Amino acid sequence: MERRVAEGLRSALGPLGLEAHAFKVGWYNAVLQPAFHLPYPDDTLAFVVLSTPSMFDKALKPFVNKERLKIIRDPVDQCVSYHLSRVKEKFPDQRVDVMFDYEMLPSRKPKFLAQTAAHVAGAAYYYQRKDVKLDPWGKKKIFGVCIHPKYGGWFAIRGLLLFPDIQVPFLEQPAPVDCVSTEEKRIELLEQFNFHWQDGRYRDIIEVKERYSEEQKAYFATPPAERFRLLGLSQ
């Protein structure tokens, strides 16, 4: 069953520049405090959805052109939301729950921790302070960051698809690729991400196969309120 769902997602999302990686809810819940647990049985099938550099041209621009006359609040969020809702139609006999990276619970906690989901699904390695043996940061707060083996930091985690009626007790957990494997590189990555994230150098911590186009970089570097103009939209 898991294979059939995975193939359906690949065929629906691949042409849009989106990737879906399977995991069991139990893998995710096992590494987090109860406050962050997903409220499903451990063997429930879930997928974390990533956007790759090609999503901008393959999904976002066509979506914006089609939706031009409607009110668009956040083009990327709405584009992803539209396509993941369409995916549900591919599985008419299944319940599919969708969670988006920008959704909050009433407690103001995020509905799910995107980087943890990507790590347990084997999609991208979540580098954290604990991955550095000789920590140089003292009392500073250091945030972790996911690196994709193919895209480095040139990708984003967009959402989860959960299939509450599909239990996958025998699903095997793939380890994420540890592509930033030396202590020096990990320190460099976390330094760049935490203190110089605006310049985007952390995204190229490894040799990448594909990165954002200049147009896409300009789009994400522009304050959200002004991005509409770049896409030829009036707000």
Side-chain angles (χ1 to χ4, degrees):
M1 189 68 191
E2 178 269 327
R3 204 161 285 144
R4 211 171 78 226
V5 173
E7 280 162 12
L9 291 177
R10 229 185 329 273
S11 70
L13 299 176
L16 301 166
L18 298 169
E19 289 182 356
H21 296 261
F23 68 97
K24 284 203 305 193
V25 165
W27 303 343
Y28 173 91
N29 287 349
V31 295
L32 291 171
Q33 278 141 350
F36 289 105
H37 283 186
L38 293 169
Y40 300 85
D42 280 353
D43 287 335
T44 304
L45 177 63
F47 290 83
V48 62
V49 177
L50 316 179
S51 62
T52 73
S54 66
M55 189 274 281
F56 193 78
D57 284 324
K58 288 179 174 172
L60 182 66
K61 285 163 129 183
F63 173 77
V64 164
N65 286 333
K66 213 169 104 237
E67 302 293 307
R68 188 154 293 230
L69 300 173
K70 300 189 189 149
I71 302 281
I72 291 191
R73 292 178 306 281
D74 179 291
V76 173
D77 288 350
Q78 273 179 269
C79 171
V80 171
S81 157
Y82 168 78
H83 286 298
L84 294 190
S85 307
R86 292 281 306 274
V87 160
K88 291 171 77 160
E89 295 162 18
K90 270 192 119 38
F91 305 99
D93 49 347
Q94 293 297 340
R95 186 176 136 209
V96 186
D97 293 349
V98 186
M99 290 181 190
F100 297 103
D101 64 306
Y102 51 83
E103 288 185 296
M104 296 282 179
L105 294 165
S107 63
R108 304 303 301 152
K109 281 195 184 81
K111 273 198 171 178
F112 74 99
L113 299 182
Q115 304 204 96
T116 301
H119 187 93
V120 300
Y125 200 107
Y126 184 23
Y127 291 97
Q128 300 176 74
R129 192 174 192 155
K130 62 181 172 58
D131 295 307
V132 171
K133 290 185 189 70
L134 297 168
D135 178 329
W137 298 295
K139 290 204 158 58
K140 286 181 185 155
K141 186 156 179 52
I142 296 294
F143 293 97
V145 60
C146 271
I147 295 295
H148 190 287
K150 191 168 159 191
Y151 306 117
W154 301 100
F155 78 103
I157 303 156
R158 299 292 179 190
L160 295 187
L161 294 167
L162 296 121
F163 291 80
D165 302 330
I166 303 179
Q167 301 296 302
V168 283
F170 303 113
L171 191 63
E172 286 191 21
Q173 185 167 14
V177 179
D178 180 6
C179 47
V180 186
S181 49
T182 70
E183 179 89 349
E184 298 74 42
K185 275 285 184 201
R186 290 178 180 187
I187 289 172
E188 188 188 333
L189 169 66
L190 292 173
E191 287 269 328
Q192 286 182 0
F193 179 69
N194 280 273
F195 309 119
H196 310 284
W197 62 268
Q198 292 95 331
D199 65 21
R201 277 179 306 158
Y202 79 89
R203 298 176 188 271
D204 285 312
I205 194 75
I206 60 166
E207 278 286 316
V208 298
K209 304 271 192 300
E210 203 185 329
R211 52 169 65 83
Y212 291 175
S213 63
E214 290 308 312
E215 181 189 15
Q216 187 170 181
K217 282 186 205 164
Y219 177 82
F220 286 115
T222 301
E226 291 159 38
R227 290 175 180 173
F228 293 88
R229 229 184 37 248
L230 290 184
L231 292 171
L233 293 172
S234 54
Q235 210 166 336

